[in-house]
Amino acid sequence: MNQTKTLFLENTYLFAMLANVLETGTDEYGNYFVVDRSIYYPQGGGQRSDDGYISLGKEHEIKIIKAKYTDNGMRHYTESIVPKEILHREVAMHIFQDSRRTNAAYHTAGHWLSQLIFENMQLPLFPVKGHHFPNEAYIEFEGNANCITPETIDEMRMVMQIDLQANPKMNVTLAKIGSKLFESALLPKNFKPPINKPLRFTRIEGYRWLPCGGTHLDSLREIKSVIPIEFYTKSGKLRLKYRCEMWGSIAS
Ligand SMILES: [Zn+2]
């Protein structure tokens, strides 16, 4: 059985590394390869997948289009056929750091805004879903939408300013079901532990732990600004639309 070490769970900022190709093949989703370790985030938890590729010298540069967890490791699906020559070879895996940072920022901001509303402002709105894609991001809530007033967004901005004064960091840890941390965590309704993935928790300092397998920035201040835009209703569900501004590209 091939298991893939998922390095993106440990380090958001690892943008390139070497990996050994354990398997190549084709299934109903397309051409794929499996490596012993990966930095490529497969879409999930409302966060979009990374943009990345593997290379074996200049002649083989293979774009990764998505990845999926399986019992036999993570299958990385590719745009083109995976050449047989890469099997049992060491390849370089790359992900584009600007899109990783932006995806992690939107994801991190989604946690912050939803917990800020529920835990900090204590509005009767329980976050049930996040869509953290750049330019289309929103958080969906269950609860009483009558608590939203024309001033709510301004009040959120003030609370955000107060939060930022403490320069909150993001913490990440693994925890077992029934542990003290698990019992104190903010769990989604009908929470089921993930299959084929570790049970991992994250926390913005000052807020409750919650289970999450996404990539996060190390601190909220790494985002230039998080902008709550508007509350609106879609199919009877209350949503908050938001966006993030980044500090600009970091030269590599
Ligand atoms: Zn998360």
Side-chain angles (χ1 to χ4, degrees), residues 43-105:
Q43 185 172 317
Q47 183 178 335
R48 71 180 288 276
S49 58
D50 284 316
D51 298 314
Y53 63 96
I54 53 167
S55 62
L56 178 68
K58 282 232 162 74
E59 64 274 29
H60 293 308
E61 222 167 70
I62 306 161
K63 190 177 175 193
I64 306 168
I65 47 177
K66 64 181 173 186
K68 283 179 182 294
Y69 288 99
T70 75
D71 289 341
N72 292 314
M74 232 174 87
R75 288 184 176 173
H76 300 71
Y77 294 89
T78 56
E79 197 174 56
S80 49
I81 291 172
V82 182
K84 288 220 162 12
E85 299 97 286
I86 73 162
L87 187 60
H88 305 307
R89 295 283 297 274
E90 192 174 56
V91 294
M93 182 181 283
H94 313 260
I95 56 166
F96 295 107
Q97 61 166 303
D98 279 355
S99 68
R100 159 60 66 84
R101 282 179 195 276
T102 302
N103 291 340

Side-chain angles (χ1 to χ4, degrees), residues 107 111 202 212 214 216:
H107 183 101
H111 284 313
T202 185
C212 185
H216 310 95

